Amino acid sequence: MLDLYTLYHFAERLYTGFSRHLPGGYALPPLQMVIELTYRCNLKCGFCFQRRQMEQLHLRRGGTAQELSLEEIQQIIAQTPPWCLIIFTGGEPFVRSDILDILAYAARKRRCHFVTNGALITPEAARALVDLGVLSVGFSIDGDRATHDRVRGVPGTFDRAIAAMREVRQHRQNTRRRWPLIGFKITITASNVRDLTHIIEMARQAGVDYCTYQIINTSLLTSGLQLSDEMTPYFACPDPIEGFDLEALEGQLRRLDQMRSDGAPAIRLSPNIPRGEIVAHYANELDVRSYTCYAPWSGVNVSAYGDVFPCFNYRIGSLRESTLQALWNGPRYRAFRQALRRRGLFAGCVGCCDLVYRGNGELHSGKR
């Protein structure tokens, strides 16, 4: 299988390596755009930072703003360069009745990927994902049926997600197409830390192409749901991780390292850092001084309401009021890039999937 993940990140390093040296915080056109289609979701995951943000927002505002329309999303995508990868997230993208129309346009104009819990994907929609030419689909999976449904808060979620994934795979096989690649997206939590390697066995039986293990992010400052005009909130560390079995985590990560050479599915870590650094993260000992970041030079995030932000929810501007070109190299985005280069990573960067390790690769030796 062509490892698009490795290929993309190699291209990103080359692209941003040049872009980061441009004066004044300027950058080459974005290599990636993440569009948060909605903050609505059909599930009730306890670890979801957006769910906690929604609860706070409803208490303060009593509602949500107007989501981008299909036409607005099309106009936004049309402003990206031809080589830009479009990534759709949520909430859950399939709560939108126009999701297949959105994916149809995006896949026709650009390469696109999206992440879903899979529970709302009908067999017809699963087959459409293949026919539309979507590049890849990431299904959020937390463990076996019991673990997954407990974490997601809705019984039957696991079976519906696996059925959707199998329908995509079967139709891809029947039509002799390469795309979309199918992945499991696993957030490492206290609920599944002892079952990380078991998920690989599940993925093999299901014919999944890759499994991506992502560290948990306890920050409430990473989506476009609640934007800030100031950078100072990002100077503080996210909430600490509590009650985690570090010994189990280290053992599971060691076993995953051993399983990487066993064939499909491909095993990835997000961020791609040494396992000792992952353990350090869950021990609340990760040192951001060992890391750098390319994200503000390579990508842009768009909220469900058309607001632009770099990675943290730092307000750049609105695509309902301005253009992508004007905002991408406008004064606020350039100020963010310059602050990041001047200060190094913010304390709030702990837990981000865009961290780039620049250490020597040895296991973390902090106190535990």
Side-chain angles (χ1 to χ4, degrees):
M1 182 188 70
L2 178 63
D3 191 346
L4 290 179
Y5 182 87
T6 301
L7 183 63
Y8 175 81
H9 284 282
F10 176 74
E12 182 185 38
R13 294 286 183 93
L14 291 178
Y15 196 82
T16 55
F18 175 81
S19 198
R20 277 162 49 111
H21 287 89
L22 294 177
Y26 285 93
L28 296 174
L31 193 62
Q32 168 184 297
M33 172 182 279
V34 177
I35 303 178
E36 298 176 341
L37 291 175
T38 182
Y39 302 114
R40 295 174 288 148
C41 188
N42 55 310
L43 301 183
K44 305 173 182 177
C45 309
F47 64 83
C48 179
F49 62 86
Q50 285 187 352
R51 181 185 176 195
R52 286 181 285 160
Q53 286 179 312
M54 285 289 284
E55 292 171 352
Q56 292 180 3
L57 190 65
H58 285 170
L59 287 174
R60 200 169 71 243
R61 291 188 189 173
T64 58
Q66 182 66 40
E67 292 175 352
L68 291 168
S69 67
L70 169 62
E71 292 73 20
E72 287 176 313
I73 293 170
Q74 291 173 337
Q75 291 168 7
I76 290 170
I77 292 173
Q79 295 180 60
T80 62
W83 57 84
C84 188
L85 173 67
I86 307 297
I87 300 174
F88 295 110
T89 66
E92 168 50 44
F94 268 80
V95 302
R96 289 190 59 136
S97 60
D98 59 355
I99 180 59
L100 290 180
D101 294 323
I102 293 171
L103 292 174
Y105 179 86
R108 188 167 67 251
K109 297 295 184 179
R110 304 286 186 268
R111 291 293 188 182
C112 75
H113 162 78
F114 76 99
V115 180
T116 175
N117 62 49
L120 298 177
I121 300 180
T122 64
E124 294 77 17
R127 292 191 291 272
L129 297 177
V130 178
D131 296 336
L132 292 175
V134 173
L135 180 65
S136 60
V137 183
F139 288 86
S140 296
I141 296 294
D142 300 295
D144 60 18
R145 179 182 291 105
T147 299
H148 182 86
D149 286 0
R150 182 174 66 253
V151 171
R152 297 284 156 174
V154 179
T157 300
F158 178 85
D159 288 337
R160 291 194 292 274
I162 296 298
M165 182 277 301
R166 286 176 172 162
E167 189 68 38
V168 173
R169 185 200 63 190
Q170 187 62 52
H171 191 57
R172 186 184 70 180
Q173 180 177 327
N174 292 344
T175 56
R176 297 184 179 181
R177 299 187 183 184
R178 179 179 293 183
W179 320 115
L181 297 180
I182 303 166
F184 279 175
K185 305 280 286 187
I186 308 105
T187 299
I188 302 173
T189 67
S191 298
N192 66 9
V193 64
R194 297 171 185 82
D195 301 318
L196 302 182
T197 53
H198 176 62
I199 294 173
I200 296 295
E201 300 302 329
M202 291 169 41
R204 284 176 179 160
Q205 294 175 13
V208 169
D209 298 304
Y210 63 92
C211 288
T212 301
Y213 292 86
Q214 183 167 320
I215 63 176
I216 198 167
N217 190 340
T218 61
S219 173
L220 293 178
L221 304 173
T222 55
S223 88
L225 186 55
Q226 298 183 72
L227 296 175
S228 172
D229 290 318
E230 305 296 332
M231 293 186 203
T232 50
Y234 318 128
F235 301 164
C237 292
D239 292 339
I241 300 170
E242 298 177 348
F244 213 89
D245 188 336
L246 300 177
E247 185 175 348
L249 174 62
E250 192 154 16
Q252 288 286 299
L253 292 174
R254 185 179 297 110
R255 178 63 182 135
L256 285 177
D257 279 347
Q258 297 168 352
M259 297 173 77
R260 285 191 176 200
S261 61
D262 294 345
I267 300 173
R268 303 166 179 163
L269 299 176
S270 181
N272 185 23
I273 61 178
R275 69 172 182 265
E277 291 294 298
I278 295 178
V279 175
H281 170 63
Y282 284 90
N284 303 301
E285 296 173 356
L286 195 73
D287 186 352
V288 294
R289 291 173 296 181
S290 298
Y291 293 83
T292 187
C293 176
Y294 303 127
W297 285 268
S298 63
V300 60
N301 295 270
V302 180
S303 81
Y305 315 133
D307 300 303
V308 168
F309 59 104
C311 41
F312 288 117
N313 56 351
Y314 174 64
R315 188 190 313 275
I316 300 298
S318 172
L319 287 171
R320 283 173 163 163
E321 301 170 357
S322 185
T323 65
L324 177 61
Q325 183 178 6
L327 297 176
W328 175 248
N329 274 323
R332 290 184 65 80
Y333 220 133
R334 289 189 288 110
F336 186 85
R337 296 185 189 113
Q338 289 174 305
L340 193 61
R341 288 202 63 177
R342 183 176 62 254
R343 293 178 52 91
L345 297 195
F346 303 113
C349 294
V350 170
C352 178
C353 61
D354 287 319
L355 292 175
V356 176
Y357 186 64
R358 58 184 184 185
N360 58 14
E362 296 177 355
L363 293 180
H364 183 84
S365 59
K367 298 178 181 178
R368 289 204 299 272

